[in-house]
C-alpha cells in the first residue's frame, strides 16, 4: 500500500513538472512524455529525493550535478532526434539525460570520466531495464572513434570551445548541442551542424554547467 501511495504521489509530481516545462515553452511531445514517465527520483542522491521533481539541478557524487529538467528538456528537443538515430552523450553523471535520450532514439553511447558515477548510472540502467545504452569510462573530449559517426551528440558539461574531435565524429547534416563558455561564468548552449566543408553554429540559451575536464579522472 505504502508503495502504491508513493507511486501515485510520484506520478502527480511528474505530471506537475511536465506541465511546468510545457508552460515554459517545451512543446516536443516525445520529450515531455519521456520526462513524465522516467522516475527522476531514481537518479538523484537519496538526500535530495524530496526535490527530485523540482525544476532544479541537484548535487550528485564526485562534486557533479544532475541537470535541471528544463535544460534536459530544452537540449533534447533542440537536438531534433529521430527514432533511428545513434546518439553520443558526453558526461553520463547520474544517467538521467542518457535515459531520456534512450527513450527517443535507437541507441545512446555515453562517456563519463568518474568511475563511481559511471557504475551507479549503469546500475540504474540495469534496474530500470534500459538495454539501448552503452557506456564508457574515459575522456569525452576524444569522443568515441570506434562508434563514430553519430547522428547527434549532446555534451552535458561546459567546454571552453567547441570540441573539435566531437565535430569530426558527427555525420554530415548531424547536430551537436554543447554548452560553451568559461568555468563559473556565462555559458551558452551552442547548436552545431556538421556540413560538408566544416560546421555552422547557432547560439541558443544561457546556461550554467559544471566544466568539461580533459582526461580520465584520477579520483574514482
Ligand atoms: N548528463 C548528466 C549531467 C552530469 S554533469 C546527468 O543527466 O546527470 C556533467 C558530467 O560530465 C559530470 O559527471 C562530469 O564528471 C562529466 N565530465 C566532465 N568532463 C568530462 C570528460 N572530459 N569526459 C567525460 N565526462 C566528463
Amino acid at each position: 500500500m505504502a508503495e502504491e501511495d508513493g507511486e501515485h504521489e510520484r506520478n502527480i509530481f511528474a505530471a506537475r513538472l511536465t506541465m511546468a516545462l510545457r508552460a515554459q515553452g517545451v512543446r516536443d511531445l516525445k520529450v515531455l512524455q519521456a520526462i513524465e514517465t522516467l522516475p527522476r527520483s531514481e537518479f538523484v542522491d537519496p538526500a535530495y529525493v524530496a526535490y527530485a521533481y523540482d525544476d532544479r539541478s541537484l548535487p550528485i557524487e564526485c562534486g557533479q550535478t544532475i541537470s535541471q529538467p528544463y535544460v534536459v528538456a530544452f537540449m533534447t528537443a533542440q537536438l531534433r532526434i529521430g527514432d533511428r538515430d545513434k546518439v553520443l552523450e558526453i558526461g553520463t553523471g547520474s544517467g538521467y539525460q542518457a535515459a531520456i535520450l534512450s527513450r527517443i532514439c535507437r541507441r545512446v553511447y555515453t562517456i563519463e570520466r568518474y568511475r563511481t558515477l559511471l557504475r551507479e548510472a549503469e546500475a540504474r540502467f540495469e534496474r530500470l531495464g534500459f538495454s539501448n545504452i552503452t557506456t564508457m569510462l574515459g575522456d569525452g573530449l576524444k569522443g568515441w572513434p570506434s562508434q563514430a559517426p553519430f547522428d547527434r551528440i549532446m555534451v552535458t558539461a561546459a567546454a571552453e570551445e567547441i570540441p573539435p574531435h566531437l565535430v569530426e565524429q558527427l555525420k554530415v547534416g548531424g547536430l551537436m548541442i554543447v554548452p560553451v563558455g568559461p568555468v563559473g561564468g556565462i555559458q551558452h548552449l551552442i547548436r552545431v551542424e556538421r556540413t560538408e566543408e566544416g560546421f555552422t553554429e547557432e547560439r541558443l540559451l544561457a546556461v550554467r554547467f559544471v566544466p568539461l575536464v580533459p582526461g580520465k579522472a584520477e579520483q574514482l
Side-chain angles (χ1 to χ4, degrees), residues 43 60-62 64-67 72 89-98 110-114 117 136 138-142 156-158 209-216:
F43 293 82
I60 56 174
E61 282 191 72
C62 307
Q64 305 304 313
T65 53
I66 173 170
S67 309
V72 170
E89 183 204 22
I90 308 303
T92 316
S94 68
Y96 182 73
Q97 174 73 72
T110 181
I111 308 176
E112 170 57 53
R113 60 191 292 278
Y114 283 105
L117 290 175
M136 176 164 84
D139 181 4
L141 278 167
K142 297 185 179 140
T156 66
F209 274 86
V210 295
L212 191 59
V213 181
K216 203 156 73 181

Side-chain angles (χ1 to χ4, degrees), residues 165-176:
H165 296 301
L166 298 183
V167 178
E168 281 163 21
Q169 291 176 33
L170 263 182
K171 281 185 193 165
V172 170
L175 301 175
M176 166 163 74

